[in-house]
Amino acid sequence: MSEILVPVDGSPLAYRAFEYALEHFPDDDVTTLYVIDPVDAAYPAEFESVPVGEEWYENAMERAEGIHDEAREIAAKYDAELSTETEVDRPRHAIIAYAEDNDVDGIVMGSHGREGIQRLLLGSVAESVMRRSDVPVTVVR
């Protein structure tokens, strides 16, 4: 049995990648990984009245749990077991580190999750993971 990692960020494409993993790897162990990006706290705080620090972290953890709850609902439709993880780091770093530290056999992820200016400023996480990963990466569009 293989270990498949599916990074999720709450975007429709991330959930589509998750469903792809469940459909194409039904006998494997699937883990969703939500990454809380500390940079996300800095950008809005500079321009808007956004909570920073402990309140920001609590809000981010609530968002993570909501995203994992949605993944659990999807997994239940496929009668699949699911492990969920949440990390705090830059997404590309956290995904690669998790895969290395947990003997992941493959990564399935959406081609993009962020939209607008954040996507332009921060680049493509999927592209970075594809270039740096030691395991196969399937990108779902």
Side-chain angles (χ1 to χ4, degrees):
M1 192 175 299
S2 297
E3 178 67 34
I4 306 299
L5 178 65
V6 183
V8 291
D9 60 5
S11 68
L13 202 47
Y15 291 129
R16 186 179 321 162
F18 177 53
E19 288 189 50
Y20 178 95
L22 294 174
E23 290 170 2
H24 288 83
F25 304 102
D27 298 325
D28 294 332
D29 292 329
V30 177
T31 299
T32 56
L33 172 66
Y34 179 77
V35 181
I36 297 171
D37 189 346
V39 172
D40 287 345
Y43 280 121
E46 289 181 25
F47 304 107
E48 302 170 16
S49 177
V50 174
V52 182
E54 192 171 319
E55 186 178 351
W56 171 84
Y57 180 76
E58 289 173 10
N59 290 341
M61 287 301 290
E62 285 179 26
R63 176 167 166 69
E65 193 54 39
I67 288 170
H68 288 313
D69 285 345
E70 178 71 22
R72 287 182 195 100
E73 288 178 22
I74 293 169
K77 293 177 188 175
Y78 288 85
D79 198 29
E81 291 188 33
L82 174 66
S83 298
T84 62
E85 296 290 336
T86 302
E87 300 283 339
V88 177
D89 197 353
R90 297 299 308 268
R92 65 190 59 146
H93 300 154
I95 295 165
I96 296 296
Y98 185 91
E100 290 173 353
D101 295 345
N102 293 279
D103 296 321
V104 167
D105 298 296
I107 300 170
V108 178
M109 61 190 303
S111 61
H112 63 277
R114 294 191 167 134
E115 297 177 357
I117 193 72
Q118 278 192 319
R119 186 169 182 204
L120 294 174
L121 289 174
L122 300 175
S124 170
V125 173
E127 181 180 348
S128 180
V129 170
M130 285 178 11
R131 290 179 185 209
R132 296 180 56 220
S133 177
D134 291 333
V135 300
V137 178
T138 301
V139 178
V140 176
R141 299 179 81 196

